[in-house]
Amino acid sequence: MRARPLLNRRLEGHGTTIFAEMSALAARTGALNLGQGFPDTDGPAEIADAAARAVRDGHGNQYPPGPGIPELRHAVAEHQRRFYGLTFDPDSEILVTAGATEAIAAAMLALLEPGDEVVALEPYYDSYAATIAMAGAQRVPVTLRAPDFRPDLDALRAAVTPRTRLLLLNTPHNPTGTVLTRAELTAIAELAVERDLLVVTDEVYEHLVFDGEHLPIASLPGMRERTVSISSAGKTFSFTGWKVGWVVAPPPLLAAVRTAKQYLTYVSAGPFQYAVAEALALPDSYYAALRDDLKAKRDLLSDGLAEAGFQVFRPSGTYFITTDITPLGEKDGVAFCLSLPERIGVVAVPTSVFYDDPGPARSHVRFAFCKREDVLREATGRLRRLRAG
């Protein structure tokens, strides 16, 4: 199915994203916000101190270099080497952005021409649709379907046409929590090479994998020269408000993305860049503790949702759980989420807004588990009232 290029098909007529809508509802009702994906505690104190120290010492208070400060670009290069064995030049292959969202926008604007097609795994983060449309391109969804949300590789191949310019991937995947396997990524890489396609891959949840492994597609044969890899500090270090992201790509692709990026924000987050450079050097124990903490919270909320009567699709990564409300006698996820704060004081997000055709997910609802344990326990207690009711 070829989707029409709407800038905002999510909440047509509202002029806001689903995240803004549901977070405003949480604030208005005082409900527990399990809708928007941000932690309710800050990241490591030593990294917050590093940001404060940068401000006090005058580092980054004025415009930082357009590509990002050298310290952070070198830290990103070292991160890629340390975790994945990939070598990149900090000067010509790494670009710092205002979060992953700007990186995605800059990549779409830089690499697409009007009429190009972008094949993307659906459901997808709402900025994908907007930025593809801004570039004048067409998105072509390949739907991940419940209960396992695995990609249909035959459908993916069939979606590629002579007008296809790039594949847009997200692994670990928001909102389903799917982590693409080595076999799946290998098949996608072979298709990209065969059809000479670019690949833009959103890997912001790379350190939040509970089952399986995160494998950058850039590490596979023939992919380094055609892949734009995107990640950020927000999810890994629990400082989502800092909006520090980065792009890793070969020089010709990075130069194109940098050209578009300079007309979006130009630069951002000067002092925070210094802090994130230090954060990326945290020991392996930090990353393991982050993963283990969130895995425990995943299990806590998954079990609580199941006890409350939801059908739960337990995620392999990210910090989101997709559920089906049909066992509760409900059919419409949007109506359910709009009524939930008043009914029991919990906010969730209907996942149908992440689809071009909402049919497969009309009864699906997403919950975020990147919250304090006491908040999750209170939320599950409230959710159990649905079954009692």
Side-chain angles (χ1 to χ4, degrees), residues 62-128:
Q62 310 306 325
Y63 294 136
I69 63 167
E71 292 87 343
L72 179 52
R73 287 184 280 114
H74 280 267
V76 171
E78 172 57 22
H79 171 275
Q80 298 303 96
R81 185 207 62 76
R82 170 185 173 188
F83 288 100
Y84 310 120
L86 296 171
T87 302
F88 290 94
D89 178 8
D91 295 324
S92 64
E93 296 183 309
I94 295 173
L95 172 69
V96 177
T97 59
T101 302
E102 186 195 34
I104 292 162
M108 297 300 106
L109 293 171
L111 303 176
L112 297 174
E113 297 289 344
D116 284 345
E117 292 179 348
V118 178
V119 177
L121 300 180
E122 181 189 54
Y124 32 66
Y125 179 51
D126 60 351
S127 79
Y128 294 179

Side-chain angles (χ1 to χ4, degrees), residues 218-284:
S219 66
L220 297 179
M223 292 307 296
R224 191 188 191 283
E225 62 267 29
R226 67 181 66 250
T227 300
V228 174
S229 302
I230 293 168
S231 193
S232 75
K235 304 301 189 295
T236 300
F237 302 113
S238 299
F239 289 115
T240 58
W242 290 7
K243 296 299 292 179
V244 178
W246 49 84
V247 177
V248 180
L253 297 181
L254 193 86
V257 175
R258 184 172 61 240
T259 298
K261 179 262 187 299
Q262 69 184 342
Y263 296 113
L264 296 176
T265 62
Y266 178 50
V267 294
S268 61
F272 296 139
Q273 292 188 33
Y274 289 91
V276 172
E278 294 191 26
L280 286 168
L282 287 171
D284 291 351

Side-chain angles (χ1 to χ4, degrees), residues 54 65 84 138 169 173 190 205 208 230 260 268 279 282 291 308 353 363:
Y84 310 120
Q138 300 279 335
L169 303 180
H173 182 264
E190 290 172 350
Y205 297 99
L208 306 184
I230 293 168
S268 61
L282 287 171
R291 181 186 65 246
V353 300
S363 60

